[in-house]
Amino acid sequence: MAMSMAMSKAFTARYATTHLQHHLVASSFQAAPRLPLLPRRPSLAVTVASPSPRRLLPASPRSSSSESDLSPTPQSERTMTAWDLASLWVGLVVGVPSYYLAGSLVDLGMSAIQGVATVTFANLIVLITLVLTAAPAVTHGLPFPVLARAAFGIRGAHVPAVIRALVGCGWFGIESWIGGRAIFLLLPSRLKSYQPLLAPVPGLGAAPLEFACFLAFWAAQLGVIMHGMEGIRKLEKFSAPVLIVLTSALLAWAYTSAGGFGRILSLPPRLTGAEFWKVFFPSLTANISFWATVAINIPDFARYARSQADQVLGQAGLPVFMGMFTFAGLAITSATEAIFGHVISDPIELLGRIGGPATTFLAIFGIGLATITTNIAANVVAPANALVSMSPRRFTFAKGALVTALLGIAFQPWRLLSSSESFVYTWLVGYSALMGPIGGVILADHYIVRRTALDVDALYSEDSGGPYYFQSGFNVAAMAAMAAGVAPIVPGFLQMVGVLPSVSKAFVIAYNNAWFVSFFIAGAVYCLLCGRRGVQAKEHCN
């Protein structure tokens, strides 16, 4: 998704923007010392030695155009405690997409217990990648765009940044469609019952009235972005509490209307035996994919942590919070089957069927506010910044945000949310094939090939003789490993979207486990291609 509204909180936690000059301790060149896998205390591999700071490469990805935004975070700004990180995860977890994901599992046939178990297991796996990816960020204070240079090259790091940005554009479209549906429910009943406006337009796949509401919500967000981010950052702190209150109210309604949770939890699962496992593995992959972008991008948060202990303990809240919120979503969705006779996995649709006009208005207003604040921070900033960092002469933050919003429309989110199958099997499982190889390459490079050694100064240098320049700034091994990880998933994806009528069972299994397959294949191929370089890296560091 997502990343989340918590991204801007992490950035605003920086009390002042400073420029650091990093160079080697000794007069002759020495590389950074070899570091343990999870250092107990953060430490910079270089020291500040010059009274006049120099400008570090590249230009800032933030709208402020300050070049220090990608500089190593100084110790004075590493103030995030375990509680702070846990609070960020509350903001990440509590949202309409998370609820929709939980409801989709019930819609696909899982019971509440099966759904909670699937989500918890998936998030425990995500937690491992989160901790491992965040560790070097805590040690050196480096953000994701800089850490990615070690594996992909000074210029090649733009490739994973752009891929992550495209997924962010897709999530921007999805969140905007959710907000548009909230506007739709507030329209007069006479307008919502006018059939010519409710019939899907051929080729578009969306009804004119729904599409108009989507564009209205889309334009409202763009207007906020163009007028500055400070106001939206102040509103963000209210979005998660609003959704927590709303979810609690829905949970209380489900408990009362369904006669307690006993009936909900005792509902027999519709999936048993082979049918369950057929749904379990793609659902597991989808839940991992749900946080796959954040698992890659977690250095942007963790660079502000006080210590490794803080980042590990803070992020351990993910499976706990996600499990709790999933239980709420699954319980409410399961209750709709007991109350209405069929599953309603969409919270917007559910709110339109319960309560009076005033209750519906307040609930929809709360969802709209929370969606705007979360969507802008989570799914606009990263893609826009990626465009600015790639071409600062052509793109400003405003132009990057406009391109992001336009691409959000191009993703046609109404099709992605048309059913639980399209949301889980097409969107979440599909893009996990892109997130998996990026994570596999980065972790393999840092822990296996380089054995956690990083030359921080070289990460900011365009010197063609630098250790991260590779071939014209691109690490061909990383690109090849990514391609190898994605390749086995392509046939299954083409079948899922209807391009291929059928593929072999092996490709279907690979697609259903896209994140696992692409992650491990890309990591293994990268290690094979970089075996000799790993030996050289160890010698260089020793």
Side-chain angles (χ1 to χ4, degrees):
M1 8 191 290
M3 293 183 306
S4 90
M5 68 178 208
M7 168 67 88
S8 62
K9 292 182 182 179
F11 283 136
T12 55
R14 301 180 66 178
Y15 303 116
T17 303
T18 58
H19 293 280
L20 294 180
Q21 178 182 12
H22 295 277
H23 52 87
L24 303 175
V25 179
S27 58
S28 60
F29 175 79
Q30 292 180 352
R34 184 172 182 268
L35 298 167
L37 294 182
L38 290 175
R40 294 183 178 179
R41 296 181 180 177
S43 59
L44 286 174
V46 290
T47 58
V48 178
S50 174
S52 59
R54 65 172 179 171
R55 294 205 176 265
L56 298 176
L57 182 152
S60 165
R62 291 168 64 188
S63 56
S64 64
S65 298
S66 170
E67 290 186 355
S68 67
D69 290 332
L70 293 186
S71 302
T73 305
Q75 291 288 349
S76 61
E77 295 181 15
R78 302 187 196 184
T79 58
M80 295 188 72
T81 64
W83 177 254
D84 292 330
L85 285 169
S87 299
L88 293 179
W89 276 111
V90 173
L92 283 160
V93 167
V94 180
V96 176
S98 298
Y99 180 101
Y100 190 79
L101 177 60
S104 296
L105 297 181
V106 176
D107 198 20
L108 292 173
M110 285 191 178
S111 66
I113 295 177
Q114 289 174 337
V116 171
T118 301
V119 170
T120 303
F121 182 48
N123 282 272
L124 286 173
I125 296 174
V126 173
L127 178 61
I128 296 173
T129 62
L130 283 168
V131 170
L132 292 177
T133 307
V138 177
T139 302
H140 301 287
L142 300 177
F144 165 74
V146 175
L147 282 173
R149 295 172 185 171
F152 291 91
I154 295 296
R155 296 172 182 170
H158 291 315
V159 174
V162 168
I163 292 175
R164 185 196 64 179
L166 288 175
V167 175
C169 293
W171 274 114
F172 177 83
I174 288 174
E175 295 264 18
S176 298
W177 183 256
I178 291 173
R181 295 197 68 246
I183 294 177
F184 178 83
L185 286 181
L186 295 178
L187 296 177
S189 300
R190 181 179 298 180
L191 187 61
K192 289 189 291 184
S193 60
Y194 187 57
Q195 289 303 318
L197 294 178
L198 300 178
V201 177
L204 180 63
L209 187 57
E210 289 182 322
F211 191 74
C213 293
F214 164 64
L215 290 181
F217 195 84
W218 178 92
Q221 295 176 100
L222 203 59
V224 172
I225 297 169
M226 296 304 174
H227 284 84
M229 293 293 295
E230 191 59 35
I232 203 67
R233 285 173 180 163
K234 293 179 180 179
L235 289 175
E236 282 172 7
K237 61 182 179 181
F238 298 108
S239 60
V242 166
L243 283 175
I244 290 174
V245 171
L246 183 59
T247 303
S248 300
L250 282 174
L251 191 61
W253 167 84
Y255 181 86
T256 304
S257 302
F261 291 140
R263 182 182 175 187
I264 296 172
L265 297 176
S266 63
L267 288 174
R270 289 176 288 163
L271 300 174
T272 57
E275 293 180 347
F276 169 75
W277 295 112
K278 186 178 179 180
V279 174
F280 170 77
F281 286 107
S283 297
L284 181 69
T285 301
N287 276 276
I288 293 174
S289 178
F290 194 77
W291 298 118
T293 52
V294 184
I296 292 172
N297 205 68
I298 192 62
D300 292 332
F301 302 90
R303 61 189 293 206
Y304 301 101
R306 296 186 309 180
S307 66
Q308 295 292 348
D310 281 304
Q311 75 98 351
V312 172
L313 291 176
Q315 297 196 96
L318 170 61
V320 177
F321 301 140
M322 192 64 182
M324 294 171 60
F325 191 74
T326 298
F327 172 78
L330 286 166
I332 296 169
T333 306
S334 298
T336 62
E337 185 175 19
I339 297 168
F340 299 107
H342 63 278
V343 172
I344 301 178
S345 60
D346 188 343
I348 306 294
E349 179 184 351
L350 177 60
L351 288 170
R353 300 188 61 171
I354 62 176
T359 303
T360 302
F361 174 80
L362 290 175
I364 296 302
F365 178 78
I367 283 183
L369 175 64
T371 301
I372 287 179
T373 56
T374 301
N375 202 22
I376 292 175
N379 303 316
V380 174
V381 175
N385 287 345
L387 292 173
V388 173
S389 63
M390 286 180 61
S391 182
R393 294 183 179 179
R394 295 183 179 181
F395 286 99
T396 61
F397 181 83
K399 289 182 180 179
L402 178 60
V403 171
T404 299
L406 291 173
L407 288 175
I409 298 177
F411 271 89
Q412 302 183 65
W414 52 90
R415 298 186 188 275
L416 298 176
L417 292 177
S418 60
S419 67
S420 296
E421 287 80 3
S422 61
F423 178 63
V424 172
Y425 289 101
T426 303
W427 171 241
L428 291 175
V429 177
Y431 81 68
S432 69
L434 298 175
M435 298 295 101
I438 296 175
V441 168
I442 289 177
L443 292 182
D445 178 79
H446 186 69
Y447 290 101
I448 299 177
V449 174
R450 300 186 185 279
R451 302 294 179 88
T452 72
L454 277 179
D455 185 343
V456 175
D457 197 60
L459 289 173
Y460 292 90
S461 172
E462 284 192 315
D463 182 7
S464 59
Y468 308 120
Y469 194 78
F470 302 105
Q471 291 80 35
S472 301
F474 293 84
N475 185 3
V476 177
M479 305 303 169
M482 279 192 61
V486 173
I489 315 302
V490 173
F493 175 77
L494 294 178
Q495 184 202 30
M496 182 59 60
V497 297
V499 175
L500 295 178
S502 63
V503 295
S504 69
K505 186 177 180 179
F507 287 125
V508 174
I509 294 175
Y511 181 77
N512 289 339
N513 298 274
W515 185 87
F516 293 96
V517 173
S518 60
F519 179 91
F520 287 107
I521 288 180
V525 170
Y526 184 80
C527 290
L528 290 175
L529 294 176
C530 298
R532 176 57 187 166
R533 197 183 73 201
V535 174
Q536 294 173 344
K538 287 190 292 183
E539 294 175 350
H540 176 72
C541 292
N542 290 333

